[in-house]
Amino acid sequence: MQMIQGASFARNPAKAVGLALAGAALLTLSAKTQVPFWPVPMTLQTMAVLLIATVLGPRLGMAAMVAYLGAGMAGLPVFAGSPERGIGLAYLAGPTGGFLAGMALAMLVTGVLAQQRGFAGRTIAMLAGVAAIYLPGLAWLSVYVPADKLIATGFAPFILGDLFKVAVATMLVQAGLRLRG
């Protein structure tokens, strides 16, 4: 069973724009949703990125991410912790800016790898997406955090939650496919 394919919307650009904007809205909502978790509270943004990329594919997923980042760069408080932690380009230049860049990369990686895949393939695609978020995220965070504290600050508190979000996202996609099919 197939996910939504970006190419199928070439004949209906209004539908593609609508899906991209809906994806950007979901990214905003997920960034603002805090869930109690151990050892730190988490947002649902990683899960939203993985779901959008898997369901919409790399092109529409990236369009959603570009719309989301564009709204944030324009000064709209769409990012997690904004406006309290800053808005616009100042927010992107802060410690979490690399993770946002990683989310854009994850849209491509997950979207490409999840296409035409089964349950296991989609799960692996989402795990690759998580890695794509952490690589630029930790690289950028290293500007703000000493190397000996980087993993303890930017990885260890969040990886358990991200793996949990991969499991939930995989099950949601699977349930959606069953309902659809």
Side-chain angles (χ1 to χ4, degrees):
M1 195 169 295
Q2 296 180 355
M3 298 283 122
I4 296 171
Q5 298 296 316
S8 68
F9 292 103
R11 292 170 296 207
N12 192 344
K15 198 169 189 179
V17 169
L19 283 170
L21 292 176
L26 179 60
L27 288 167
T28 300
L29 180 63
S30 69
K32 300 293 185 177
T33 304
Q34 288 260 333
V35 177
F37 200 75
W38 182 88
V40 293
M42 66 177 172
T43 68
L44 298 179
Q45 196 166 24
T46 304
M47 187 169 72
V49 167
L50 301 173
L51 280 170
I52 292 165
T54 301
V55 173
L56 296 184
R59 283 188 223 137
L60 283 175
M62 185 53 84
M65 182 57 74
V66 167
Y68 171 74
L69 292 174
M73 285 188 274
L76 295 175
V78 297
F79 300 133
S82 65
E84 301 83 17
R85 291 184 4 213
I87 58 171
L89 294 175
Y91 186 94
L92 290 174
T96 59
F99 291 99
L100 288 168
M103 288 179 190
L105 180 60
M107 281 290 188
L108 294 174
V109 168
T110 305
V112 167
L113 294 177
Q115 288 184 10
Q116 308 300 319
R117 304 283 185 225
F119 181 83
R122 287 189 300 272
T123 303
I124 291 167
M126 290 184 194
L127 291 170
V130 169
I133 293 170
Y134 277 103
L135 290 174
L138 291 172
W140 182 254
L141 186 61
S142 71
V143 171
Y144 296 90
V145 176
D148 62 328
K149 295 185 177 166
L150 186 61
I151 298 300
T153 302
F155 179 78
F158 304 102
I159 190 61
L160 182 61
D162 286 337
L163 294 174
F164 179 75
K165 288 181 261 186
V166 166
V168 171
T170 303
M171 290 186 283
L172 286 172
V173 169
Q174 195 67 19
L177 288 171
R178 284 194 178 139
L179 287 173
R180 185 176 165 202

